[in-house]
Amino acid sequence: MSHNEITGRSNFREKIFLSIYSKKKIRIKNLKNSGIKKFEINLLCLVDKIAPESYFFLNESGTILDFCPGNLIGGKIFHKTDTFRSLTYYLEFLCYITLISKNWIELKLTGLRSINADLSLESFLYSTIPMYRKFGGRDIRIKIWTEKLSKKKKYQRDFFFPRKDHPKLF
């Protein structure tokens, strides 16, 4: 199977999601001179946990990514995010994924609550989650607790996305 070639880093999460949804390989070229960012690698590690049959290959300079999607699985997943992006960066991606997943996902995320680059967690919970529930995620349950670690505050969140008999959206 040949790759669909895409140029540039913009909308990285959406490109990965559309590859998973369409079950087509993609090649993302020209990821700038600095190569792929650490938070994008962390997102690919999360993808590897929810779709373990998927694989990705980076060239030596990190400027070309080949991604082949796998089948989505459910179950309990723990993922520790990095400190470059907040939890909402990963949660927005997971909202896409859970709408097309046939299985429930119980996810425990650990990371930063908010930074300037992303929407704060509270804004996400009060704006995106009600909209998500209208599109088919009615059974989402969220547990929140806080732990203080060193100078930066880290937060742990449990997110439960049950997807038993859900209607086909697409």
Side-chain angles (χ1 to χ4, degrees):
M1 182 189 307
S2 65
H3 291 86
N4 292 329
E5 292 197 7
I6 303 169
T7 304
R9 149 176 296 136
S10 62
N11 302 321
F12 184 79
R13 293 176 296 177
E14 288 79 5
K15 291 173 185 175
I16 298 297
F17 165 71
L18 290 173
S19 174
I20 292 170
Y21 179 66
S22 64
K23 296 184 181 358
K24 293 185 179 180
K25 294 180 184 180
I26 60 170
R27 173 175 284 162
I28 303 175
K29 288 183 161 183
N30 298 335
L31 291 172
K32 306 277 184 185
N33 296 336
S34 60
I36 194 165
K37 304 281 186 190
K38 288 183 181 181
F39 60 87
E40 293 169 336
I41 291 174
N42 195 279
L43 180 72
L44 291 173
C45 292
L46 177 61
V47 168
D48 189 45
K49 290 177 183 178
I50 60 176
E53 297 169 357
S54 62
Y55 70 88
F56 54 93
F57 174 76
L58 283 169
N59 67 346
E60 290 180 11
S61 62
T63 57
I64 298 175
L65 170 71
D66 290 335
F67 177 74
C68 181
N71 294 326
L72 296 173
I73 64 162
K76 294 182 179 183
I77 297 169
F78 174 77
H79 185 71
K80 184 176 181 181
T81 63
D82 61 7
T83 58
F84 295 105
R85 297 304 288 258
S86 69
L87 291 172
T88 55
Y89 177 81
Y90 303 94
L91 287 172
E92 288 171 355
F93 175 76
L94 287 166
C95 281
Y96 307 149
I97 293 295
T98 56
L99 285 175
I100 63 169
S101 177
K102 296 177 183 168
N103 303 318
W104 62 272
I105 297 174
E106 186 174 337
L107 177 69
K108 186 175 189 178
L109 283 179
T110 304
L112 294 177
R113 184 168 138 175
S114 66
I115 58 173
N116 291 338
D118 296 319
L119 189 66
S120 72
L121 187 62
E122 288 79 12
S123 298
F124 178 81
L125 293 176
Y126 292 118
S127 63
T128 308
I129 295 299
M131 184 177 64
Y132 174 79
R133 285 186 173 133
K134 291 186 183 222
F135 284 111
R138 291 175 210 90
D139 296 332
I140 186 172
R141 287 183 260 157
I142 300 172
K143 293 181 196 173
I144 300 172
W145 72 88
T146 304
E147 287 184 13
K148 289 185 180 180
L149 301 173
S150 69
K151 291 183 180 180
K152 287 188 176 181
K153 293 181 180 178
K154 290 216 174 193
Y155 297 90
Q156 291 188 345
R157 306 287 186 257
D158 277 353
F159 297 93
F160 181 64
F161 298 98
R163 302 299 298 166
K164 292 183 180 169
D165 300 309
H166 69 285
K168 276 281 194 193
L169 296 176
F170 303 100

